Amino acid sequence: MPNLTLEYTANLPAVDLAAVLAECNRAAADSGQFTEIDIKSRAVRVDDFVIGTEAGDRGFVYVTFALLDGRSPEIKRDLSQRLQSVLQKHFIAPPGLTLQIAVEMRDMERASFIKVTHTG
């Protein structure tokens, strides 16, 4: 734990997603809240999307950061800001496109979460 899912719309300029995810993982690890090997991230391209009701060139980057419950709102806010900083550095709106970049912290119930690690 935690799990980071980065969703991004297909109309955004290409970025080095592996580098973005690695930097997000470093930002999370630097918070002191997690062991680095426990941070898992992935990127999902969204080809079909609608933003709002008006016509216009629009896109989004949305990170969901799922972590075990029990952390304070201040810790979650710090994590959100760390991730938002990484995203804003890598995702730049091209001329004419409105880009929304958001981070959501999602608590996972610690009592029911199970993880097993195998090393070969």
Side-chain angles (χ1 to χ4, degrees):
M1 204 37 42
N3 277 280
L4 183 149
T5 303
L6 186 158
E7 298 173 276
Y8 66 98
T9 53
N11 62 341
L12 298 180
V15 299
D16 183 347
L17 291 168
V20 174
L21 294 175
E23 193 169 339
C24 284
N25 283 10
R26 277 192 300 279
D30 288 348
S31 74
Q33 294 295 310
F34 315 103
T35 304
E36 64 81 24
I37 196 169
D38 290 333
I39 305 165
K40 293 161 284 299
S41 60
R42 79 273 296 144
V44 178
R45 177 181 152 138
V46 179
D47 290 312
D48 299 311
F49 62 94
V50 176
I51 299 172
T53 60
E54 301 292 322
D57 201 8
R58 300 170 176 175
F60 67 80
V61 175
Y62 194 93
V63 163
T64 304
F65 195 78
L67 66 166
L68 293 175
D69 61 9
R71 291 182 176 82
S72 71
E74 294 78 21
I75 289 172
K76 291 182 210 176
R77 182 69 178 177
D78 177 64
L79 287 164
S80 292
Q81 290 171 336
R82 289 171 184 270
L83 295 172
Q84 182 79 339
S85 293
V86 172
L87 300 173
Q88 286 181 299
K89 183 168 65 171
H90 290 279
F91 291 94
I92 308 297
L97 185 133
T98 300
L99 175 60
Q100 298 179 32
I101 301 175
V103 176
E104 172 192 1
M105 292 289 131
R106 184 171 297 169
D107 281 340
M108 295 174 46
E109 186 178 274
R110 190 177 296 267
S112 62
F113 179 76
I114 299 173
K115 177 177 92 173
V116 176
T117 302
H118 294 275
T119 303

